[in-house]
Amino acid sequence: MLDFVHETAPTRVVFGAGRVADLPAEADRLGLARLLLLSTPGQRARVEALAAPLGARIAGLFAEAVMHVPAETAAAARAEASRIAADGCVAVGGGSTVGLAKAIALETGLPIIAVPTTYAGSEMTPIWGLTEGGEKTTGRDARVLPRTVIYDPALTLDLPSRIAGASGMNALAHCVEALYAADASPIIKLIAEEGVRALAAALPAVVTNPGEIEARARALYGAWLAGTALGAASMALHHKLCHALGGSFSLPHAETHTIVLPHAAAYNRDAAPEAMRRIADALGADEAPGGLFDLARAVGAPAGLAEIGLRETDLDRAAEIATRNPYDNPRRVTRDGVRALLEDAFHGRRPAIG
Ligand code: NAD
């Protein structure tokens, strides 16, 4: 029976190749005149060049964004925003850079214009994350949701295939878990299904033909949908597992998602048949877990957790950490079940046909 709550997020989205040129107009639309630009150290020069048309609206640049938003980096960025009397932030980059802007907004309420250059999807969510003493804390707060997002596929043309493939599979994971989330509205499920369809069609082309702007645009469109789904639905076993593996064993974020996703889908297969049918249809595959595994291989992702640095002796502890707090998941989460899932993911086995 239909029974749901749906809330539409207020983010303005501007999409298209070359649209980064709209930055000054979008800043004016929000009435922002003293912007703090944010980037990773590696993207600094590019971000300076892209933002140059903002002219006198640029009050400063903080190019120290790193993965998982360390609390000290967030504190330094907030201090810089305060020192230059910033009235807003422009984050150009992936989830790490958008995450830093969110850490500033969480305490100061400064509005964010996000210009994503990966497929992580953080720009469409009210989810923030901060890492202190090796522990990552996350939460939801409407203040961190970017006010405007400019998706410019031309900015993703230089995203290396290795990062693009894994980042796209990370986005796909948001769609997969939204499709079986108890709190996802019918609209969010449509968005998630279309996200799977767009990403599955685009990612192999992005990896094999990196210069093709149409495939890049389709992948970025899928990433937008995936981020929207992530922002509106609760994530389950898959995200919990990846969080545990990333946080406790320092495994790379997007690659971990890519490897674990087919196995998390296999774990939930019998408990979420409708979601599995929709995922399989959108993938153009016979069944969801195998289709996700084949797509991950097609984008050149590592097959098993062993390849990205997990040790076999870590599996017991990983299963214990990932099952520590009970949480919603279509199939009941048991330590033995998750241990078996991790064993398959460790060795990179193709999930058996259900
Ligand atoms: P990232 O932002 O760390 O980027 C990875 C690397 O790619 C960086 O060195 C970056 O400088 C570089 N890069 C980015 N765009 C590029 C481009 N177009 N060309 C060349 N190099 C480029 O990685 P990510 O996967 O985008 O984000 C991961 C982080 O985001 C994690 O910390 C994750 O927890 C977080 N995240 C948060 C949310 C949320 O809703 N809060 C959602 C998804 C991910």
Side-chain angles (χ1 to χ4, degrees), residues 40 43 46 68 94-96 117-118 120 122 125 127 136 155 158-159:
T40 56
Q43 298 282 302
R46 185 163 92 134
H68 301 313
S96 300
T117 60
T118 71
S122 175
T125 83
I127 305 166
K136 185 164 181 177
L155 302 185
D158 59 349
L159 191 62

Side-chain angles (χ1 to χ4, degrees), residues 131-208:
T131 305
E132 193 157 19
E135 289 263 326
K136 185 164 181 177
T137 311
T138 61
R140 282 179 182 259
D141 192 313
R143 293 207 303 173
V144 309
L145 186 71
R147 299 279 286 279
T148 301
V149 178
I150 301 180
Y151 284 106
D152 186 337
L155 302 185
T156 65
L157 281 170
D158 59 349
L159 191 62
S161 297
R162 191 183 47 80
I163 301 182
S167 183
M169 291 300 293
N170 180 190
L172 218 134
H174 309 332
C175 299
V176 166
E177 293 229 295
L179 276 161
Y180 54 59
D183 59 359
S185 76
I187 288 184
I188 292 302
K189 291 190 182 189
L190 284 171
I191 287 174
E193 190 176 340
E194 172 70 356
V196 175
R197 189 166 287 113
L199 288 161
L203 292 178
V206 162
V207 169
T208 52

